[in-house]
Short mmCIF file of all heavy atoms in Angstrom, two decimals:
data_model
loop_
_atom_site.label_atom_id
_atom_site.label_comp_id
_atom_site.label_asym_id
_atom_site.label_seq_id
_atom_site.Cartn_x
_atom_site.Cartn_y
_atom_site.Cartn_z
N MET A 1 0.85 -1.18 0.00
CA MET A 1 0.00 0.00 0.00
C MET A 1 0.89 1.24 0.00
O MET A 1 1.80 1.36 0.79
CB MET A 1 -0.90 0.00 1.23
CG MET A 1 -1.87 1.11 1.24
SD MET A 1 -3.09 0.82 2.51
CE MET A 1 -3.04 2.38 3.28
N ARG A 2 0.56 2.13 -0.86
CA ARG A 2 1.34 3.36 -0.95
C ARG A 2 0.76 4.41 -0.01
O ARG A 2 -0.45 4.57 0.10
CB ARG A 2 1.29 3.91 -2.37
CG ARG A 2 1.97 3.01 -3.36
CD ARG A 2 2.01 3.66 -4.72
NE ARG A 2 0.71 4.31 -5.02
CZ ARG A 2 0.15 4.30 -6.20
NH1 ARG A 2 0.73 3.68 -7.19
NH2 ARG A 2 -0.98 4.90 -6.41
N LEU A 3 1.62 5.13 0.68
CA LEU A 3 1.18 6.17 1.60
C LEU A 3 0.96 7.49 0.89
O LEU A 3 0.17 8.31 1.34
CB LEU A 3 2.20 6.35 2.72
CG LEU A 3 2.34 5.16 3.66
CD1 LEU A 3 3.44 5.43 4.69
CD2 LEU A 3 1.04 4.87 4.36
N ILE A 4 1.66 7.70 -0.18
CA ILE A 4 1.53 8.95 -0.92
C ILE A 4 0.59 8.73 -2.09
O ILE A 4 0.80 7.85 -2.92
CB ILE A 4 2.90 9.44 -1.42
CG1 ILE A 4 3.84 9.65 -0.24
CG2 ILE A 4 2.74 10.71 -2.24
CD1 ILE A 4 5.25 9.98 -0.63
N LEU A 5 -0.50 9.49 -2.15
CA LEU A 5 -1.47 9.39 -3.23
C LEU A 5 -1.09 10.34 -4.35
O LEU A 5 -0.59 11.44 -4.10
CB LEU A 5 -2.88 9.72 -2.73
CG LEU A 5 -3.48 8.78 -1.70
CD1 LEU A 5 -4.82 9.33 -1.24
CD2 LEU A 5 -3.66 7.39 -2.27
N ARG A 6 -1.37 9.92 -5.53
CA ARG A 6 -1.16 10.83 -6.64
C ARG A 6 -2.25 11.89 -6.62
O ARG A 6 -3.28 11.75 -5.97
CB ARG A 6 -1.19 10.06 -7.96
CG ARG A 6 0.00 9.13 -8.08
CD ARG A 6 0.14 8.56 -9.47
NE ARG A 6 -1.09 8.42 -10.21
CZ ARG A 6 -1.43 7.33 -10.88
NH1 ARG A 6 -0.64 6.30 -10.90
NH2 ARG A 6 -2.56 7.28 -11.54
N HIS A 7 -2.04 12.95 -7.36
CA HIS A 7 -2.95 14.08 -7.37
C HIS A 7 -4.34 13.67 -7.87
O HIS A 7 -5.35 14.07 -7.29
CB HIS A 7 -2.39 15.21 -8.24
CG HIS A 7 -3.31 16.39 -8.35
ND1 HIS A 7 -3.66 17.14 -7.26
CD2 HIS A 7 -3.95 16.94 -9.41
CE1 HIS A 7 -4.49 18.10 -7.64
NE2 HIS A 7 -4.67 18.00 -8.96
N ASP A 8 -4.43 12.88 -8.91
CA ASP A 8 -5.74 12.49 -9.43
C ASP A 8 -6.46 11.53 -8.49
O ASP A 8 -7.68 11.57 -8.36
CB ASP A 8 -5.60 11.88 -10.83
CG ASP A 8 -4.64 10.69 -10.86
OD1 ASP A 8 -3.85 10.57 -9.92
OD2 ASP A 8 -4.71 9.92 -11.83
N GLU A 9 -5.72 10.66 -7.77
CA GLU A 9 -6.35 9.78 -6.79
C GLU A 9 -6.87 10.58 -5.60
O GLU A 9 -7.96 10.32 -5.09
CB GLU A 9 -5.36 8.73 -6.32
CG GLU A 9 -5.02 7.68 -7.35
CD GLU A 9 -3.97 6.71 -6.84
OE1 GLU A 9 -3.49 6.91 -5.70
OE2 GLU A 9 -3.63 5.78 -7.56
N ALA A 10 -6.10 11.54 -5.15
CA ALA A 10 -6.53 12.37 -4.02
C ALA A 10 -7.75 13.20 -4.40
O ALA A 10 -8.68 13.35 -3.61
CB ALA A 10 -5.39 13.27 -3.57
N SER A 11 -7.77 13.70 -5.61
CA SER A 11 -8.90 14.50 -6.07
C SER A 11 -10.16 13.63 -6.17
O SER A 11 -11.25 14.06 -5.76
CB SER A 11 -8.58 15.11 -7.43
OG SER A 11 -9.69 15.81 -7.92
N ALA A 12 -10.03 12.42 -6.68
CA ALA A 12 -11.18 11.52 -6.79
C ALA A 12 -11.69 11.12 -5.40
O ALA A 12 -12.90 11.05 -5.16
CB ALA A 12 -10.81 10.29 -7.61
N THR A 13 -10.76 10.85 -4.49
CA THR A 13 -11.15 10.48 -3.13
C THR A 13 -11.85 11.64 -2.43
O THR A 13 -12.87 11.44 -1.77
CB THR A 13 -9.90 10.06 -2.32
OG1 THR A 13 -9.26 8.99 -3.00
CG2 THR A 13 -10.27 9.62 -0.93
N LEU A 14 -11.34 12.83 -2.60
CA LEU A 14 -11.96 14.00 -1.99
C LEU A 14 -13.34 14.26 -2.58
O LEU A 14 -14.28 14.62 -1.86
CB LEU A 14 -11.07 15.23 -2.16
CG LEU A 14 -11.53 16.51 -1.49
CD1 LEU A 14 -11.61 16.32 0.02
CD2 LEU A 14 -10.61 17.66 -1.82
N THR A 15 -13.49 14.05 -3.89
CA THR A 15 -14.78 14.24 -4.54
C THR A 15 -15.80 13.24 -4.02
O THR A 15 -16.94 13.59 -3.70
CB THR A 15 -14.64 14.11 -6.07
OG1 THR A 15 -13.68 15.05 -6.53
CG2 THR A 15 -15.96 14.35 -6.76
N ARG A 16 -15.40 11.96 -3.91
CA ARG A 16 -16.31 10.93 -3.38
C ARG A 16 -16.67 11.22 -1.92
O ARG A 16 -17.84 11.09 -1.53
CB ARG A 16 -15.66 9.55 -3.48
CG ARG A 16 -15.94 8.88 -4.79
CD ARG A 16 -15.48 7.43 -4.75
NE ARG A 16 -14.47 7.28 -5.80
CZ ARG A 16 -13.17 7.12 -5.62
NH1 ARG A 16 -12.69 7.04 -4.42
NH2 ARG A 16 -12.37 7.03 -6.64
N LEU A 17 -15.70 11.61 -1.13
CA LEU A 17 -15.96 11.92 0.28
C LEU A 17 -16.93 13.08 0.41
O LEU A 17 -17.85 13.05 1.24
CB LEU A 17 -14.64 12.23 0.99
CG LEU A 17 -14.72 12.51 2.48
CD1 LEU A 17 -15.22 11.29 3.23
CD2 LEU A 17 -13.37 12.94 3.01
N THR A 18 -16.77 14.11 -0.39
CA THR A 18 -17.68 15.26 -0.37
C THR A 18 -19.08 14.84 -0.78
O THR A 18 -20.07 15.28 -0.18
CB THR A 18 -17.15 16.37 -1.30
OG1 THR A 18 -15.83 16.72 -0.90
CG2 THR A 18 -18.03 17.59 -1.24
N ALA A 19 -19.18 13.99 -1.79
CA ALA A 19 -20.50 13.53 -2.23
C ALA A 19 -21.18 12.69 -1.16
O ALA A 19 -22.38 12.84 -0.91
CB ALA A 19 -20.36 12.72 -3.52
N TYR A 20 -20.43 11.81 -0.48
CA TYR A 20 -21.01 10.99 0.58
C TYR A 20 -21.48 11.85 1.75
O TYR A 20 -22.57 11.64 2.29
CB TYR A 20 -19.99 9.97 1.08
CG TYR A 20 -19.66 8.89 0.08
CD1 TYR A 20 -18.38 8.35 0.02
CD2 TYR A 20 -20.62 8.39 -0.80
CE1 TYR A 20 -18.06 7.36 -0.89
CE2 TYR A 20 -20.31 7.40 -1.72
CZ TYR A 20 -19.03 6.88 -1.76
OH TYR A 20 -18.72 5.91 -2.65
N LEU A 21 -20.67 12.82 2.15
CA LEU A 21 -21.06 13.70 3.26
C LEU A 21 -22.25 14.58 2.89
O LEU A 21 -23.12 14.84 3.73
CB LEU A 21 -19.87 14.55 3.70
CG LEU A 21 -18.74 13.79 4.40
CD1 LEU A 21 -17.59 14.74 4.72
CD2 LEU A 21 -19.25 13.13 5.65
N GLY A 22 -22.32 15.02 1.64
CA GLY A 22 -23.48 15.81 1.21
C GLY A 22 -24.74 14.98 1.21
O GLY A 22 -25.81 15.45 1.64
N GLY A 23 -24.65 13.74 0.75
CA GLY A 23 -25.81 12.84 0.79
C GLY A 23 -26.25 12.55 2.21
O GLY A 23 -27.45 12.51 2.51
N LEU A 24 -25.28 12.35 3.10
CA LEU A 24 -25.61 12.12 4.50
C LEU A 24 -26.28 13.34 5.12
O LEU A 24 -27.23 13.22 5.89
CB LEU A 24 -24.34 11.76 5.27
CG LEU A 24 -24.51 11.36 6.72
CD1 LEU A 24 -25.37 10.11 6.83
CD2 LEU A 24 -23.15 11.13 7.35
N ALA A 25 -25.82 14.53 4.77
CA ALA A 25 -26.44 15.76 5.27
C ALA A 25 -27.87 15.90 4.77
O ALA A 25 -28.77 16.29 5.52
CB ALA A 25 -25.61 16.97 4.86
N LEU A 26 -28.10 15.57 3.50
CA LEU A 26 -29.47 15.64 2.97
C LEU A 26 -30.39 14.64 3.66
O LEU A 26 -31.55 14.94 3.94
CB LEU A 26 -29.45 15.39 1.46
CG LEU A 26 -28.92 16.55 0.61
CD1 LEU A 26 -28.87 16.14 -0.85
CD2 LEU A 26 -29.78 17.78 0.79
N LEU A 27 -29.89 13.43 3.94
CA LEU A 27 -30.69 12.45 4.66
C LEU A 27 -31.01 12.94 6.08
O LEU A 27 -32.12 12.75 6.57
CB LEU A 27 -29.97 11.11 4.72
CG LEU A 27 -29.95 10.30 3.44
CD1 LEU A 27 -29.08 9.07 3.60
CD2 LEU A 27 -31.36 9.91 3.04
N ALA A 28 -30.05 13.56 6.73
CA ALA A 28 -30.28 14.07 8.08
C ALA A 28 -31.31 15.20 8.08
O ALA A 28 -32.20 15.25 8.93
CB ALA A 28 -28.96 14.57 8.69
N ILE A 29 -31.23 16.10 7.11
CA ILE A 29 -32.20 17.19 7.01
C ILE A 29 -33.59 16.63 6.73
O ILE A 29 -34.59 17.06 7.31
CB ILE A 29 -31.78 18.20 5.92
CG1 ILE A 29 -30.54 18.96 6.38
CG2 ILE A 29 -32.90 19.18 5.60
CD1 ILE A 29 -29.91 19.82 5.30
N GLY A 30 -33.68 15.64 5.85
CA GLY A 30 -34.97 15.01 5.57
C GLY A 30 -35.55 14.32 6.79
O GLY A 30 -36.76 14.38 7.03
N ALA A 31 -34.71 13.65 7.59
CA ALA A 31 -35.19 12.99 8.80
C ALA A 31 -35.69 14.00 9.81
O ALA A 31 -36.70 13.78 10.48
CB ALA A 31 -34.07 12.14 9.41
N VAL A 32 -35.00 15.13 9.93
CA VAL A 32 -35.44 16.17 10.87
C VAL A 32 -36.78 16.73 10.43
O VAL A 32 -37.69 16.93 11.25
CB VAL A 32 -34.37 17.28 10.98
CG1 VAL A 32 -34.93 18.51 11.66
CG2 VAL A 32 -33.16 16.77 11.73
N LEU A 33 -36.94 16.99 9.16
CA LEU A 33 -38.21 17.54 8.67
C LEU A 33 -39.35 16.52 8.78
O LEU A 33 -40.50 16.88 9.02
CB LEU A 33 -38.06 17.99 7.22
CG LEU A 33 -37.17 19.22 7.00
CD1 LEU A 33 -37.02 19.50 5.51
CD2 LEU A 33 -37.73 20.42 7.71
N LEU A 34 -39.03 15.25 8.62
CA LEU A 34 -40.05 14.21 8.68
C LEU A 34 -40.52 13.94 10.10
O LEU A 34 -41.71 13.72 10.34
CB LEU A 34 -39.51 12.92 8.04
CG LEU A 34 -40.48 11.75 7.95
CD1 LEU A 34 -41.62 12.10 7.01
CD2 LEU A 34 -39.75 10.50 7.48
N PHE A 35 -39.60 13.96 11.05
CA PHE A 35 -39.93 13.57 12.41
C PHE A 35 -40.09 14.73 13.38
O PHE A 35 -40.10 14.53 14.59
CB PHE A 35 -38.86 12.61 12.95
CG PHE A 35 -38.85 11.30 12.24
CD1 PHE A 35 -37.76 10.94 11.46
CD2 PHE A 35 -39.91 10.44 12.32
CE1 PHE A 35 -37.73 9.73 10.80
CE2 PHE A 35 -39.90 9.23 11.66
CZ PHE A 35 -38.81 8.87 10.89
N GLN A 36 -40.21 15.95 12.90
CA GLN A 36 -40.39 17.07 13.82
C GLN A 36 -41.83 17.10 14.33
O GLN A 36 -42.75 16.65 13.66
CB GLN A 36 -40.02 18.40 13.17
CG GLN A 36 -40.97 18.86 12.09
CD GLN A 36 -40.49 20.15 11.46
OE1 GLN A 36 -39.50 20.69 11.86
NE2 GLN A 36 -41.20 20.63 10.48
N SER A 37 -42.00 17.60 15.54
CA SER A 37 -43.34 17.66 16.12
C SER A 37 -44.11 18.83 15.51
O SER A 37 -43.53 19.86 15.17
CB SER A 37 -43.25 17.83 17.64
OG SER A 37 -42.61 19.04 17.95
N PRO A 38 -45.43 18.68 15.37
CA PRO A 38 -46.21 19.77 14.78
C PRO A 38 -46.26 20.96 15.73
O PRO A 38 -46.23 20.82 16.95
CB PRO A 38 -47.60 19.16 14.60
CG PRO A 38 -47.65 18.06 15.59
CD PRO A 38 -46.25 17.54 15.72
N SER A 39 -46.34 22.14 15.15
CA SER A 39 -46.43 23.34 15.98
C SER A 39 -47.83 23.45 16.56
O SER A 39 -48.82 23.13 15.92
CB SER A 39 -46.11 24.58 15.15
OG SER A 39 -47.03 24.71 14.10
N LEU A 40 -47.89 23.89 17.79
CA LEU A 40 -49.17 23.99 18.49
C LEU A 40 -49.69 25.42 18.40
O LEU A 40 -48.94 26.38 18.51
CB LEU A 40 -48.99 23.60 19.96
CG LEU A 40 -48.53 22.17 20.21
CD1 LEU A 40 -48.30 21.97 21.70
CD2 LEU A 40 -49.53 21.18 19.70
N ILE A 41 -50.99 25.54 18.23
CA ILE A 41 -51.65 26.84 18.17
C ILE A 41 -52.64 26.89 19.33
O ILE A 41 -53.48 25.99 19.48
CB ILE A 41 -52.38 27.03 16.82
CG1 ILE A 41 -51.38 26.97 15.68
CG2 ILE A 41 -53.13 28.35 16.82
CD1 ILE A 41 -52.04 26.98 14.32
N LEU A 42 -52.52 27.92 20.16
CA LEU A 42 -53.44 28.06 21.28
C LEU A 42 -54.80 28.52 20.77
O LEU A 42 -54.91 29.52 20.08
CB LEU A 42 -52.90 29.06 22.29
CG LEU A 42 -51.65 28.65 23.04
CD1 LEU A 42 -51.21 29.78 23.96
CD2 LEU A 42 -51.90 27.40 23.85
N SER A 43 -55.84 27.75 21.11
CA SER A 43 -57.18 28.14 20.67
C SER A 43 -57.94 28.87 21.77
O SER A 43 -58.97 29.47 21.52
CB SER A 43 -57.97 26.91 20.23
OG SER A 43 -58.09 26.01 21.32
N VAL A 44 -57.43 28.81 23.00
CA VAL A 44 -58.09 29.47 24.12
C VAL A 44 -57.16 30.57 24.63
O VAL A 44 -56.00 30.33 24.93
CB VAL A 44 -58.37 28.46 25.25
CG1 VAL A 44 -58.99 29.16 26.44
CG2 VAL A 44 -59.26 27.34 24.76
N VAL A 45 -57.69 31.76 24.71
CA VAL A 45 -56.91 32.89 25.21
C VAL A 45 -57.16 32.99 26.72
O VAL A 45 -58.31 33.05 27.15
CB VAL A 45 -57.33 34.20 24.51
CG1 VAL A 45 -56.56 35.37 25.06
CG2 VAL A 45 -57.14 34.05 23.02
N PRO A 46 -56.12 32.98 27.54
CA PRO A 46 -56.34 33.07 28.98
C PRO A 46 -56.91 34.44 29.35
O PRO A 46 -56.57 35.45 28.74
CB PRO A 46 -54.95 32.87 29.58
CG PRO A 46 -54.01 33.16 28.47
CD PRO A 46 -54.72 32.86 27.20
N PRO A 47 -57.80 34.49 30.35
CA PRO A 47 -58.37 35.78 30.75
C PRO A 47 -57.31 36.66 31.39
O PRO A 47 -56.38 36.17 32.03
CB PRO A 47 -59.45 35.40 31.76
CG PRO A 47 -59.01 34.08 32.30
CD PRO A 47 -58.30 33.40 31.17
N SER A 48 -57.47 37.94 31.22
CA SER A 48 -56.51 38.87 31.82
C SER A 48 -56.80 38.98 33.31
O SER A 48 -57.95 39.04 33.74
CB SER A 48 -56.59 40.24 31.16
OG SER A 48 -57.88 40.78 31.36
N ARG A 49 -55.75 39.00 34.09
CA ARG A 49 -55.89 39.11 35.54
C ARG A 49 -55.42 40.48 35.98
O ARG A 49 -54.47 41.03 35.45
CB ARG A 49 -55.05 38.06 36.24
CG ARG A 49 -55.51 36.65 35.92
CD ARG A 49 -54.70 35.66 36.67
NE ARG A 49 -54.83 35.93 38.10
CZ ARG A 49 -54.43 35.10 39.04
NH1 ARG A 49 -53.87 33.98 38.71
NH2 ARG A 49 -54.57 35.39 40.30
N SER A 50 -56.11 41.02 36.97
CA SER A 50 -55.66 42.30 37.50
C SER A 50 -54.43 42.07 38.37
O SER A 50 -54.23 40.99 38.92
CB SER A 50 -56.77 42.96 38.32
OG SER A 50 -57.03 42.18 39.48
N GLU A 51 -53.61 43.07 38.49
CA GLU A 51 -52.39 42.94 39.26
C GLU A 51 -52.64 43.05 40.76
O GLU A 51 -51.83 42.60 41.56
CB GLU A 51 -51.37 43.97 38.81
CG GLU A 51 -50.92 43.75 37.38
CD GLU A 51 -49.83 44.72 36.98
OE1 GLU A 51 -49.10 45.20 37.86
OE2 GLU A 51 -49.73 44.98 35.78
N TRP A 52 -53.77 43.63 41.15
CA TRP A 52 -54.07 43.82 42.55
C TRP A 52 -55.09 42.78 42.99
O TRP A 52 -56.04 42.48 42.29
CB TRP A 52 -54.63 45.21 42.81
CG TRP A 52 -53.63 46.29 42.56
CD1 TRP A 52 -53.50 47.03 41.44
CD2 TRP A 52 -52.60 46.71 43.44
NE1 TRP A 52 -52.47 47.91 41.55
CE2 TRP A 52 -51.88 47.74 42.78
CE3 TRP A 52 -52.21 46.34 44.72
CZ2 TRP A 52 -50.81 48.38 43.37
CZ3 TRP A 52 -51.14 46.98 45.31
CH2 TRP A 52 -50.45 47.99 44.64
N VAL A 53 -54.90 42.27 44.19
CA VAL A 53 -55.84 41.32 44.78
C VAL A 53 -56.38 41.96 46.06
O VAL A 53 -55.61 42.41 46.91
CB VAL A 53 -55.14 39.98 45.11
CG1 VAL A 53 -56.10 39.02 45.77
CG2 VAL A 53 -54.56 39.37 43.85
N GLU A 54 -57.69 42.00 46.18
CA GLU A 54 -58.28 42.59 47.38
C GLU A 54 -58.31 41.56 48.50
O GLU A 54 -58.70 40.41 48.30
CB GLU A 54 -59.70 43.06 47.08
CG GLU A 54 -59.73 44.24 46.13
CD GLU A 54 -61.13 44.81 45.97
OE1 GLU A 54 -61.92 44.67 46.93
OE2 GLU A 54 -61.39 45.38 44.92
N VAL A 55 -57.87 42.01 49.68
CA VAL A 55 -57.82 41.14 50.86
C VAL A 55 -58.74 41.74 51.90
O VAL A 55 -58.72 42.95 52.16
CB VAL A 55 -56.37 41.04 51.39
CG1 VAL A 55 -56.30 40.19 52.64
CG2 VAL A 55 -55.45 40.51 50.32
N ASP A 56 -59.57 40.89 52.54
CA ASP A 56 -60.52 41.39 53.53
C ASP A 56 -59.81 41.96 54.75
O ASP A 56 -60.05 43.08 55.15
CB ASP A 56 -61.45 40.26 53.97
CG ASP A 56 -62.36 39.82 52.83
OD1 ASP A 56 -62.64 40.66 51.96
OD2 ASP A 56 -62.76 38.65 52.82
N ARG A 57 -58.94 41.20 55.35
CA ARG A 57 -58.27 41.65 56.56
C ARG A 57 -56.81 41.22 56.48
O ARG A 57 -56.48 40.07 56.76
CB ARG A 57 -58.94 41.05 57.79
CG ARG A 57 -58.37 41.51 59.07
CD ARG A 57 -59.15 40.94 60.23
NE ARG A 57 -58.44 41.26 61.46
CZ ARG A 57 -58.61 40.61 62.59
NH1 ARG A 57 -59.46 39.63 62.66
NH2 ARG A 57 -57.93 40.95 63.64
N PRO A 58 -55.92 42.12 56.11
CA PRO A 58 -54.51 41.71 56.00
C PRO A 58 -53.87 41.50 57.36
O PRO A 58 -54.17 42.21 58.32
CB PRO A 58 -53.87 42.87 55.26
CG PRO A 58 -54.73 44.04 55.56
CD PRO A 58 -56.13 43.50 55.73
N PHE A 59 -53.05 40.49 57.46
CA PHE A 59 -52.32 40.20 58.68
C PHE A 59 -50.85 40.59 58.47
O PHE A 59 -50.31 40.36 57.40
CB PHE A 59 -52.41 38.71 59.04
CG PHE A 59 -53.79 38.28 59.40
CD1 PHE A 59 -54.58 37.62 58.48
CD2 PHE A 59 -54.29 38.53 60.66
CE1 PHE A 59 -55.85 37.22 58.82
CE2 PHE A 59 -55.56 38.12 61.00
CZ PHE A 59 -56.35 37.47 60.08
N PRO A 60 -50.21 41.15 59.51
CA PRO A 60 -48.79 41.46 59.37
C PRO A 60 -47.97 40.18 59.19
O PRO A 60 -48.32 39.14 59.72
CB PRO A 60 -48.43 42.14 60.69
CG PRO A 60 -49.70 42.48 61.35
CD PRO A 60 -50.75 41.59 60.79
N ALA A 61 -46.91 40.31 58.46
CA ALA A 61 -46.06 39.15 58.25
C ALA A 61 -45.39 38.76 59.55
O ALA A 61 -44.97 39.60 60.34
CB ALA A 61 -45.01 39.46 57.19
N PHE A 62 -45.30 37.50 59.82
CA PHE A 62 -44.65 36.93 61.00
C PHE A 62 -45.30 37.39 62.30
O PHE A 62 -44.62 37.58 63.31
CB PHE A 62 -43.15 37.25 61.04
CG PHE A 62 -42.44 36.89 59.77
CD1 PHE A 62 -41.98 37.87 58.90
CD2 PHE A 62 -42.24 35.57 59.43
CE1 PHE A 62 -41.33 37.54 57.74
CE2 PHE A 62 -41.59 35.23 58.26
CZ PHE A 62 -41.13 36.21 57.41
N ALA A 63 -46.60 37.59 62.30
CA ALA A 63 -47.29 38.00 63.52
C ALA A 63 -47.51 36.78 64.40
O ALA A 63 -47.97 35.74 63.94
CB ALA A 63 -48.63 38.65 63.20
N LEU A 64 -47.14 36.89 65.69
CA LEU A 64 -47.31 35.81 66.63
C LEU A 64 -48.19 36.28 67.78
O LEU A 64 -48.09 37.42 68.24
CB LEU A 64 -45.95 35.35 67.19
CG LEU A 64 -44.97 34.79 66.17
CD1 LEU A 64 -43.63 34.50 66.84
CD2 LEU A 64 -45.51 33.52 65.54
N ALA A 65 -49.02 35.40 68.24
CA ALA A 65 -49.86 35.71 69.41
C ALA A 65 -49.16 35.17 70.64
O ALA A 65 -49.19 33.97 70.93
CB ALA A 65 -51.24 35.09 69.25
N ILE A 66 -48.48 36.07 71.40
CA ILE A 66 -47.78 35.68 72.63
C ILE A 66 -48.41 36.47 73.77
O ILE A 66 -48.34 37.70 73.81
CB ILE A 66 -46.28 36.01 72.50
CG1 ILE A 66 -45.68 35.29 71.31
CG2 ILE A 66 -45.55 35.61 73.79
CD1 ILE A 66 -44.24 35.65 71.04
N PRO A 67 -49.04 35.77 74.69
CA PRO A 67 -49.69 36.49 75.81
C PRO A 67 -48.69 37.26 76.68
O PRO A 67 -49.04 38.30 77.23
CB PRO A 67 -50.35 35.38 76.63
CG PRO A 67 -50.37 34.18 75.76
CD PRO A 67 -49.30 34.34 74.76
N GLU A 68 -47.46 36.79 76.81
CA GLU A 68 -46.47 37.47 77.67
C GLU A 68 -46.05 38.80 77.06
O GLU A 68 -45.63 39.71 77.77
CB GLU A 68 -45.22 36.60 77.86
CG GLU A 68 -45.48 35.32 78.62
CD GLU A 68 -45.97 34.20 77.74
OE1 GLU A 68 -45.72 34.23 76.52
OE2 GLU A 68 -46.62 33.30 78.27
N ALA A 69 -46.13 38.97 75.76
CA ALA A 69 -45.68 40.20 75.11
C ALA A 69 -46.86 40.99 74.57
O ALA A 69 -46.75 41.67 73.58
CB ALA A 69 -44.73 39.84 73.97
N ALA A 70 -47.97 40.98 75.28
CA ALA A 70 -49.17 41.68 74.80
C ALA A 70 -49.02 43.18 74.87
O ALA A 70 -49.62 43.91 74.09
CB ALA A 70 -50.38 41.23 75.60
N ASP A 71 -48.25 43.71 75.80
CA ASP A 71 -48.12 45.15 75.95
C ASP A 71 -47.04 45.74 75.03
O ASP A 71 -46.94 46.96 74.91
CB ASP A 71 -47.82 45.50 77.40
CG ASP A 71 -46.55 44.82 77.92
OD1 ASP A 71 -46.14 43.81 77.30
OD2 ASP A 71 -46.01 45.30 78.91
N GLN A 72 -46.25 44.93 74.35
CA GLN A 72 -45.21 45.44 73.45
C GLN A 72 -45.66 45.30 72.00
O GLN A 72 -46.38 44.38 71.65
CB GLN A 72 -43.92 44.66 73.67
CG GLN A 72 -43.38 44.84 75.07
CD GLN A 72 -42.01 44.20 75.22
OE1 GLN A 72 -41.43 43.83 74.22
NE2 GLN A 72 -41.54 44.11 76.44
N PRO A 73 -45.23 46.24 71.15
CA PRO A 73 -45.66 46.17 69.75
C PRO A 73 -44.96 45.05 68.99
O PRO A 73 -43.88 44.66 69.26
CB PRO A 73 -45.23 47.53 69.18
CG PRO A 73 -44.17 48.05 70.09
CD PRO A 73 -44.43 47.43 71.42
#
């Protein structure tokens, strides 16, 4: 086996390799297009929510009922 290729052999090998890789790329693109999931379209529009929520009786955060500390805020 010769390690050094002649110019015409190298050119033919490079041409075949490019053709094989191009065919493989086309097969991969076709597989992606064939097996992709369909795009979803929302048919129901969610209702708009107001940013404010009315609370009947707000409680302070971390409020504790301690009988011993009833006179302190």
Side-chain angles (χ1 to χ4, degrees):
M1 185 168 131
R2 295 185 317 220
L3 294 177
I4 301 174
L5 295 176
R6 292 191 331 227
H7 177 63
D8 56 342
E9 289 177 358
S11 176
T13 302
L14 185 61
T15 303
R16 271 190 240 108
L17 182 63
T18 304
Y20 291 146
L21 290 177
L24 185 62
L26 286 176
L27 286 174
I29 290 171
V32 166
L33 291 176
L34 183 65
F35 293 114
Q36 70 182 358
S37 62
S39 61
L40 298 176
I41 299 173
L42 293 177
S43 61
V44 177
V45 178
S48 62
R49 296 183 59 168
S50 66
E51 295 184 26
W52 294 97
V53 178
E54 292 187 27
V55 178
D56 293 332
R57 183 176 171 200
F59 294 100
F62 308 109
L64 297 175
I66 302 175
E68 295 85 23
D71 58 340
Q72 297 187 12

